[in-house]
Amino acid sequence: MHPYLPHTDEDIQQMLKSIGVETIEELFHDIPEEIRLKEELKVLKRKSEFETRKDLKNMSNQNINLDGATCFLGAGAYDHYIPSTIAPIVSRSEFFTAYTPYQPEISQGTLQVIFEYQSMICELTGMDVSNASLYDGATATAEAAFMACGQTRRNKVIMSSTVHPMVRDVVKTYLDYKDIELVVIDETEGKTDVEKVLDSIDKTVATVIIQSPNFYGKLEDVEKIAEKLHENKGLLIMNVDPISLGIYKSPGACGADIVVGEGQSLGNPLNFGGPYLGFIACKQKFMRKLPGRIVGQTEDVNGKRAFVLTLQAREQHIRREKATSNITSNQALCALMATIYLATMGKEGLKEVASNCIKKAHYMAERLQGIEGVDVQMNQPFFKEFVISIDSDKTIKAINKQLLEKGFIGGYDLGKTSPLYENKMLLCVTEKRTRAEIDQFVKELEGIL
């Protein structure tokens, strides 16, 4: 197909005639006159495909990319290794759509992919049921809050302030329009104040949302919270980094009832912040509250293995005002990449990735601790991210600018999230970072300070 097929004047007149109007303006008569554009659009003159490609290439070359810089930035989007198996498989024409067909049982391949994805997410999280993915980790967390409120018939949600601030904002936005009370519990030294959470739990609380590893990379203590929630018939929602589950106890084993998270780190590139995929899984007894669709396994009339859409609480099939979720399409292509990633890595591969993240992050933290003016928060267990305080007359922004000139993408400026974190930086070390890169970063930072 030609990349762009313009309509001729004759084409436009034929289309207008066939729908019974004289002019294009008639199509927009519902739009108030005063807000209509009365002049020609100020667009550039037309260009050839060759010229357009050249312009876009020049624009993209102005971006800093991971081929030209070494990344120590995380905070929700991670530079993990992507196996070469993913690109050729995901590019197959039968997969290259984000949409599940409306006659799904015909698309056995697509359904099998979703079934495999669900199975792997359940195995990772220690849950019984997973859906086919959501828009991203933030919306997955908000949907989980809806689930918990619907299941318990309560309208109060408690969330730790150590949940990623952008996730908190999304959850707050969702809950504001559902008349659900949101209580945010302050942190203590970068971790959830468990005692405050325990004191806040009673029979009016639908759920507590905890992220572990949390926004600051630290592991949270959730067992006591789960125990008290269950005593009061509430549900625990855990937001997790799926890579960390290669080595840590599953959320299911920690007492979680619903598990959510961002799946970008499972074989998806950074993509300038999206598209990503949110995963959500739960215990079987909450299955009917799970948003989106679930693919099940069965047999056809000939006794052959087959896949079907088993549950699909999708709002297209019911009146919008009756919908329990905002989800319509899932992120099928991103979920496919996650599926291929998990199948390629296997249990041992994922464990090795997680193990390397921990070892390299702790190696870097110990190296940085030796720099005068740098203090590393190492008083709590952490996974692949950690916070450093910098005693300098330079701001974190200025330090990152100088690091970039040396070829390094520095850490996240935590001062943007809270005045309590001025002059603090959140650094991330994935399995991709080499010892030489870490040593060079430490040397450059020391030189800048």
Side-chain angles (χ1 to χ4, degrees):
M1 179 183 289
H2 192 279
Y4 178 59
L5 294 175
H7 299 125
T8 64
D9 290 340
E10 289 75 17
D11 293 333
I12 293 171
Q13 288 307 315
Q14 282 186 12
M15 287 189 283
L16 292 173
K17 185 178 179 182
S18 68
I19 60 176
V21 296
E22 294 291 329
T23 64
I24 289 179
E25 284 69 29
E26 283 187 55
L27 297 175
F28 303 117
H29 72 277
D30 288 334
I31 300 174
E33 184 73 23
E34 61 272 20
I35 64 170
R36 289 193 210 173
L37 185 67
K38 304 292 192 313
E39 57 191 34
E40 291 292 319
L41 284 173
K42 294 176 181 176
V43 294
L44 299 175
K45 69 178 181 66
R46 65 187 178 187
K47 292 187 175 183
S48 68
E49 181 179 333
F50 169 75
E51 291 171 316
T52 305
R53 281 181 177 275
K54 189 176 180 182
D55 285 351
L56 291 174
K57 188 70 177 174
N58 288 337
M59 288 169 64
S60 67
N61 285 341
Q62 296 178 44
N63 291 323
I64 298 160
N65 60 64
L66 297 181
D67 292 329
T70 305
C71 182
F72 287 97
L73 177 63
Y78 300 103
D79 179 28
H80 283 290
Y81 172 69
I82 299 175
S84 56
T85 49
I86 292 179
I89 296 176
V90 81
S91 301
R92 290 176 65 93
S93 58
E94 59 267 44
F95 288 138
F96 213 60
T97 172
Y99 227 74
T100 299
Y102 275 96
Q103 294 173 309
E105 277 64 45
I106 295 174
S107 306
Q108 284 292 297
T110 299
L111 292 183
Q112 182 173 0
V113 164
I114 294 175
F115 181 82
E116 301 289 354
Y117 164 81
Q118 293 172 172
S119 302
M120 292 179 188
I121 292 296
C122 286
E123 197 164 344
L124 264 183
T125 57
M127 293 285 105
D128 302 317
V129 187
S130 163
N131 81 352
S133 78
L134 298 174
Y135 298 142
D136 54 31
T139 55
T141 310
E143 293 286 348
F146 284 172
M147 275 183 70
C149 290
Q151 182 68 32
T152 59
R153 298 187 178 181
R154 298 172 182 174
N155 284 338
K156 186 174 181 180
V157 173
I158 292 175
M159 183 163 56
S160 169
S161 65
T162 64
V163 173
H164 194 302
M166 293 179 185
V167 174
R168 277 190 276 134
D169 286 346
V170 171
V171 172
K172 182 179 184 304
T173 302
Y174 270 58
L175 299 191
D176 274 350
Y177 294 93
K178 285 276 190 175
D179 197 25
I180 296 173
E181 181 186 1
L182 176 64
V183 178
V184 178
I185 301 293
D186 290 338
E187 67 195 64
T188 300
E189 295 183 347
K191 285 190 67 174
T192 299
D193 190 326
V194 174
E195 292 304 318
K196 279 187 184 175
V197 174
L198 293 176
D199 290 342
S200 303
I201 295 173
D202 56 28
K203 295 192 183 301
T204 67
V205 174
T207 183
V208 173
I209 303 173
I210 300 284
Q211 179 179 336
S212 184
N214 67 27
F215 178 57
Y216 307 108
K218 298 178 180 180
L219 303 180
E220 297 280 11
D221 305 315
V222 299
E223 279 85 354
K224 285 184 181 176
I225 296 173
E227 189 178 333
K228 184 156 186 186
L229 269 172
H230 295 156
E231 287 172 1
N232 287 273
K233 309 296 183 188
L235 306 179
L236 175 63
I237 297 171
M238 282 189 69
N239 183 310
V240 295
D241 178 340
I243 295 292
S244 73
L245 301 181
I247 201 164
Y248 292 131
K249 188 192 288 188
S250 75
C254 295
D257 300 285
I258 305 171
V259 183
V260 296
E262 174 53 60
Q264 174 269 322
S265 53
L266 302 175
N268 281 260
L270 288 166
N271 282 338
F272 296 96
Y276 289 168
L277 77 147
F279 60 86
I280 183 169
C282 65
K283 293 178 179 174
Q284 188 167 2
K285 56 186 175 183
F286 311 129
M287 179 170 63
R288 292 189 179 278
K289 298 289 184 184
L290 197 63
R293 57 178 75 87
I294 299 174
V295 173
Q297 179 179 256
T298 186
E299 290 183 353
D300 66 12
V301 292
N302 299 315
K304 293 181 179 176
R305 188 187 189 204
F307 301 93
V308 293
L309 277 186
T310 306
L311 290 174
Q312 44 177 337
R314 302 179 63 196
E315 65 181 11
Q316 291 104 316
H317 301 306
I318 56 178
R319 284 179 293 172
R320 185 175 292 271
E321 63 272 20
K322 297 287 185 184
T324 57
S325 164
N326 179 48
I327 298 301
T328 54
S329 298
N330 70 303
Q331 297 287 57
L333 194 67
C334 297
L336 170 62
M337 296 173 81
T339 308
I340 301 167
Y341 176 86
L342 289 170
T344 302
M345 303 304 285
K347 286 183 181 178
E348 289 304 314
L350 195 63
K351 183 179 177 182
E352 189 176 336
V353 170
S355 178
N356 275 324
C357 288
I358 295 173
K359 289 176 184 174
K360 293 183 178 186
H362 282 74
Y363 171 73
M364 184 171 178
E366 288 166 7
R367 287 293 321 274
L368 289 169
Q369 188 73 294
I371 300 178
E372 186 178 350
V374 174
D375 181 42
V376 184
Q377 293 184 5
M378 297 185 67
N379 57 335
Q380 303 284 353
F382 63 88
F383 179 47
K384 65 186 177 190
E385 291 176 281
F386 56 94
V387 178
I388 64 172
S389 302
I390 298 179
D391 184 11
S392 168
D393 55 355
K394 296 178 179 176
T395 64
I396 298 295
K397 184 178 180 181
I399 292 168
N400 274 334
K401 185 179 179 184
Q402 285 188 262
L403 283 169
L404 197 56
E405 290 167 358
K406 304 289 183 182
F408 292 99
I409 300 173
Y412 185 80
D413 182 357
L414 289 171
K416 293 191 292 187
T417 64
S418 166
L420 298 174
Y421 281 89
E422 287 293 337
N423 300 320
K424 289 183 171 55
M425 178 189 285
L426 179 67
L427 287 163
C428 175
V429 189
T430 69
E431 80 285 5
K432 282 181 69 177
R433 300 289 73 85
T434 66
R435 182 171 181 151
E437 289 172 338
I438 294 170
D439 289 344
Q440 188 63 31
F441 178 90
V442 173
K443 182 181 175 184
E444 298 294 355
L445 181 61
E446 188 172 19
I448 290 169
L449 298 180

